[in-house]
Every structure is written in C-alpha cells, then in structure tokens.
C-alpha cells in the first residue's frame, strides 16, 4: 500500500490529520514536521488534555475544523470537551491519519476507535498496545485500519524489516539509551531525585516517558509493543544498551544478516515516516546524520539487577491476559506518585512487582476486564504510597 501523503497533489486530496495530544512533546514535534509538509497533509483536528493556552495558539496557526480539550478551562465555546473528544476527533470523516500522541492508557479508546474506523494510526501511544494488544489487532482487522509506529525503535524495526515475514526474523534487537542512571550503583540509585530522573542524556520528552526511560520500564513497554506490532515471540526480542541513541534498533534475519537503522536522536523522522510509510519524502528539516560526529557507537548488556522494572514488564508480557495492563497501570500510578514526591525512585519498580504478584493473574480478554485490571492496579499502588 502506498503512503497516505506520498504524492503532493491538489489540496482537496491532501490526507487529513488528527493529532491527539497536540500540546505534548510528540504532538508539538508532529506540528513542526507538518509545517514543512503543508503541501501533503492538512491538520483537521487537535486535542489536548488541559493546556488551553497552547491549544488556542495551535488553533490560530492551523485553523483545524475540530478542537477538543479533555479537561481544564479556557479556550473557545466551540471546542469539544471531555474524554469523548479524542474518539470524536479520531473518527471524523475528514480524518485519514490519527497521530495518537496521548500519554498513558488514556489513549486506548482512541486507538481502538481509529482502527475500527479504518484510519491509519501513527502510534506514539505505546500504552494502547501494552494494555490491549489483542483488542487493538482485532479492531484493525475489523475496521481495516493500520498502525504505523512512531516510537523510534519500532520505526527502525519497520524500516529494517521491509517486506520480510516474521518467519524470516531470527531476533529483534531493541536498543536502549540506558537513561540517566545507566552507570549508577545501587547506593546512588536509592537516593535518585525527580530532577535526576528527568535529566535524560539523549532524548527530550514528556515527563512520564522520561521517568520510564530512567527505570527502563519504557523498554518493557517497547518489548511488548514490538511483540504485538511485528508478531515476533518474546524469546526472539532482546534489549541492548546503546548510550549514544544512534542505532535505533536492529533486525537479525535467519541467515545471520543484521540490519540496523541509524540517525540522530530526533523524533522528527519517525513521526514523518509514520505519515508517509512506505514512501519517503524530502524533508530538509530532519537533522542530518554525520557518522564521524556520532562516533564511537558502543553497546552494553542491560543491568537487570539495577533496573528490575524491565524484567517485570517482560514477564508480564509473556504471562499475557491482564498482566501487561496491570504492569502499565501500576507503572503510570507509581511514576505520577514519584513525580509528586510521594514515592522514591526505587519504589516505582517495587510497587510494580507487588502489583503484578497481587493482580497479574486477573482475567484479560475484553476491554471491560482489562480496564478493571487497570483500575485495580492504580488503587493498589495508590494505597501503598
Ligand atoms: P507529553 O506528556 O509531552 O504529552 C502528552 C500529550 O497528551 C499532551 O498533549 C496532553 O495534553 C495529552 N494528554 C495527557 N493526558 C491525557 C489524557 N488523560 N487524555 C487526553 N489527553 C491527554 O508526552 P509525550 O512525551 O509527547 O509522549 C506521548 C506518547 O508518546 C507516550 O505514550 C510516550 O510513551 C510516547 N513516546 C514519546 C516519545 C517522545 O520523544 N516524547 C518517544 C516515543 C514514544
Ligand atoms: Mg522508544
């Protein structure tokens, strides 16, 4: 199938884009990319959680047909309000591509609805796939929608795979920067502050994913995401630490050939590629890569003892059922409490492990069951703050 915006044409033919979470790190990156691709795409819908001031600026710059603010006050009377605004934006007739840049399980219903409505979902919201990977696949099959990942590792894997079937793949190797605490010993990690955790060495991102990168919970979310996106079993997905964040991930094929995708750590290319896949378009704004400047490139094993959240998440993925939803919800809640100063850094992983022990065996299956597991895990962690 051809990329939705691959051929610049008559303006009425330009695919319509909805950005859910337009005020966030990925949302604003997407608007920067789209500003250079105005001859290929139209922005028709924008939604945000609470930042009415930035949303109003974006509305003034883009004149979208639909603007939604989930909570908070301000903005214009014409704006849609409440959680339904996400699904409303995503399923509009004039929307062809939904960039889901919402953070957390709050993005799930919009992912499901977009796929049911036959849209392309440029998916940054990896939590959708973690909470309900099977339901997401079913929604795509039923509605004819497709997911193209925005996450840099999964964009890399998609680009490395080309037309190869999962049976041609021996192993996916997902790279991890290692986060700000890559070299910290246990004693120093015990005293890690919020400011330390938010000081990411290579990527500038929203707070939740930045903390997830410090605990390596983000890599667990990404292993589960890769499992569902590419249909590769967990025992053929590995994580390796690569502090420079230049090699975005690799695919080892059955003949032993390893294909990697490289570039500077910028989300502009993965966002652009999610819009145009499988085509490529000219974009002079995406930062250029200089191999000499990027040197040296190094790789290290993961320190699982220092970062137990990674192992908990992968085990939850393997267990299936409601366990990945419990992992995700426990992590979201613990990270929020850590950011509020109500939990230590080490307690994030501890509480995730406890929540999985207590609730990981809850039944999965349909959306109602998964949301019940999600709610139970949030309550469990909050009660132990
Ligand atoms: P962010 O916090 O900067 O932005 C989140 C956006 O979602 C904001 O626009 C906010 O208004 C909206 N939002 C938050 N909670 C919401 C809710 N309950 N309902 C509706 N809207 C809500 O986060 P981010 O860093 O842009 O990350 C967004 C998603 O992309 C996450 O799933 C993250 O894991 C993923 N991701 C981000 C990066 C990155 O570089 N930032 C890279 C890869 C993947
Ligand atoms: Mg990533």
């Amino acid at each position: 199938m051809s990329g939705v915006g691959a051929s610049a044409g008559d303006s009425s033919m330009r695919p319509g884009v909805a950005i859910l979470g337009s005020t966030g790190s990925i949302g604003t990156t997407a608007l920067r990319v789209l500003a250079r691709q105005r001859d290929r795409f139209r922005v028709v819908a924008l939604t945000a959680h609470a930042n009415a001031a930035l949303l109003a600026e974006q509305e003034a710059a883009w004149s979208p047909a639909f603007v939604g603010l989930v909570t908070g006050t301000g903005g214009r009377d014409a704006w849609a309000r409440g959680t339904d605004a996400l699904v409303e934006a995503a399923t509009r007739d004039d929307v062809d591509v939904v960039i889901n840049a919402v953070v957390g399980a709050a993005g799930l219903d919009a992912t499901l609805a977009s796929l049911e409505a036959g849209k392309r979902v440029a998916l940054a919201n990896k939590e959708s796939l973690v909470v309900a990977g099977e339901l997401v696949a079913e929604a795509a099959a039923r509605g004819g929608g497709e997911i193209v990942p925005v996450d840099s590792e999964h964009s890399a894997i998609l680009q490395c795979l080309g037309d190869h079937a999962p049976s041609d793949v021996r192993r996916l190797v997902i790279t991890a920067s290692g986060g700000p605490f890559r070299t910290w010993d246990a004693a120093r990690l015990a005293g890690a502050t919020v400011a330390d955790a938010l000081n990411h060495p290579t990527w500038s991102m929203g707070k939740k994913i930045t903390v997830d990168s410090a605990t390596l919970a983000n890599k667990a979310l990404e292993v589960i995401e890769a499992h569902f996106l590419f249909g590769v079993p967990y025992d053929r997905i590995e994580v390796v630490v690569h502090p420079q964040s230049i090699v975005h991930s690799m695919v080892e094929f059955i003949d032993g050939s390893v294909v990697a995708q490289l570039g500077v750590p910028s989300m502009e290319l993965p966002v652009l590629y999610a819009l145009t896949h499988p085509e490529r378009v000219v974009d002079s704004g995406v930062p250029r890569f200089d191999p000499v400047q990027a040197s040296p490139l190094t790789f290290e094993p993961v320190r699982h003892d220092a970062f137990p959240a990674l192992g908990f998440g992968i085990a939850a993925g393997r267990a299936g059922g409601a366990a990945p939803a419990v992992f995700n919800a426990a992590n979201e809640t613990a990270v929020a409490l850590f950011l509020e100063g109500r939990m230590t850094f080490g307690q994030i992983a501890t509480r995730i492990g406890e929540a999985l022990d207590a609730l990981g065996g809850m039944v999965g299956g349909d959306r109602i069951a998964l949301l019940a597991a999600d709610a139970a895990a949030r309550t469990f962690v909050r009660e132990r703050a």
Side-chain angles (χ1 to χ4, degrees), residues 126 151-154 218-219 222:
K126 63 191 92 184
D151 218 350
S152 58
E153 296 77 3
H154 306 74
N218 183 52
K219 269 325 119 170
E222 292 186 353

Short mmCIF file of all heavy atoms in Angstrom, two decimals, residues 126 151-154 218-219 222, ligand 2:
data_model
loop_
_atom_site.label_atom_id
_atom_site.label_comp_id
_atom_site.label_asym_id
_atom_site.label_seq_id
_atom_site.Cartn_x
_atom_site.Cartn_y
_atom_site.Cartn_z
N LYS A 126 2.26 4.01 22.95
CA LYS A 126 2.57 2.59 23.05
C LYS A 126 1.72 1.88 24.09
O LYS A 126 1.49 0.68 24.02
CB LYS A 126 4.06 2.40 23.34
CG LYS A 126 4.52 2.98 24.67
CD LYS A 126 6.05 2.99 24.78
CE LYS A 126 6.63 4.29 24.29
NZ LYS A 126 8.09 4.36 24.27
N ASP A 151 7.19 5.31 17.74
CA ASP A 151 8.31 5.02 18.64
C ASP A 151 9.56 4.75 17.79
O ASP A 151 9.50 3.99 16.81
CB ASP A 151 7.95 3.78 19.48
CG ASP A 151 8.43 3.89 20.91
OD1 ASP A 151 9.19 4.82 21.22
OD2 ASP A 151 8.03 3.02 21.72
N SER A 152 10.68 5.37 18.14
CA SER A 152 11.85 5.34 17.24
C SER A 152 12.37 3.93 17.01
O SER A 152 12.77 3.58 15.89
CB SER A 152 12.96 6.24 17.80
OG SER A 152 13.32 5.83 19.10
N GLU A 153 12.32 3.09 18.06
CA GLU A 153 12.82 1.72 17.92
C GLU A 153 11.96 0.92 16.95
O GLU A 153 12.46 0.13 16.14
CB GLU A 153 12.81 1.01 19.29
CG GLU A 153 13.75 1.62 20.33
CD GLU A 153 13.23 2.91 20.97
OE1 GLU A 153 12.08 3.33 20.65
OE2 GLU A 153 13.96 3.50 21.78
N HIS A 154 10.64 1.13 17.03
CA HIS A 154 9.71 0.35 16.21
C HIS A 154 9.67 0.90 14.80
O HIS A 154 9.51 0.12 13.84
CB HIS A 154 8.34 0.34 16.90
CG HIS A 154 8.46 -0.16 18.31
ND1 HIS A 154 9.00 0.63 19.30
CD2 HIS A 154 8.20 -1.36 18.87
CE1 HIS A 154 9.05 -0.07 20.43
NE2 HIS A 154 8.57 -1.27 20.19
N ASN A 218 10.18 1.80 30.29
CA ASN A 218 9.90 2.13 28.88
C ASN A 218 10.33 1.01 27.94
O ASN A 218 9.64 0.72 26.96
CB ASN A 218 10.60 3.44 28.51
CG ASN A 218 10.28 3.87 27.09
OD1 ASN A 218 9.12 3.95 26.71
ND2 ASN A 218 11.30 4.12 26.28
N LYS A 219 11.47 0.37 28.22
CA LYS A 219 11.92 -0.73 27.33
C LYS A 219 10.99 -1.91 27.44
O LYS A 219 10.78 -2.63 26.46
CB LYS A 219 13.34 -1.17 27.65
CG LYS A 219 14.47 -0.49 26.92
CD LYS A 219 14.21 -0.11 25.50
CE LYS A 219 14.34 1.38 25.36
NZ LYS A 219 14.35 1.90 23.99
N GLU A 222 8.18 -1.23 25.37
CA GLU A 222 8.57 -1.35 23.95
C GLU A 222 8.73 -2.79 23.49
O GLU A 222 8.49 -3.10 22.32
CB GLU A 222 9.86 -0.55 23.72
CG GLU A 222 9.61 0.94 23.86
CD GLU A 222 10.79 1.82 23.51
OE1 GLU A 222 11.89 1.31 23.27
OE2 GLU A 222 10.59 3.05 23.48
MG1 LIG B 2 11.24 4.47 22.13
#
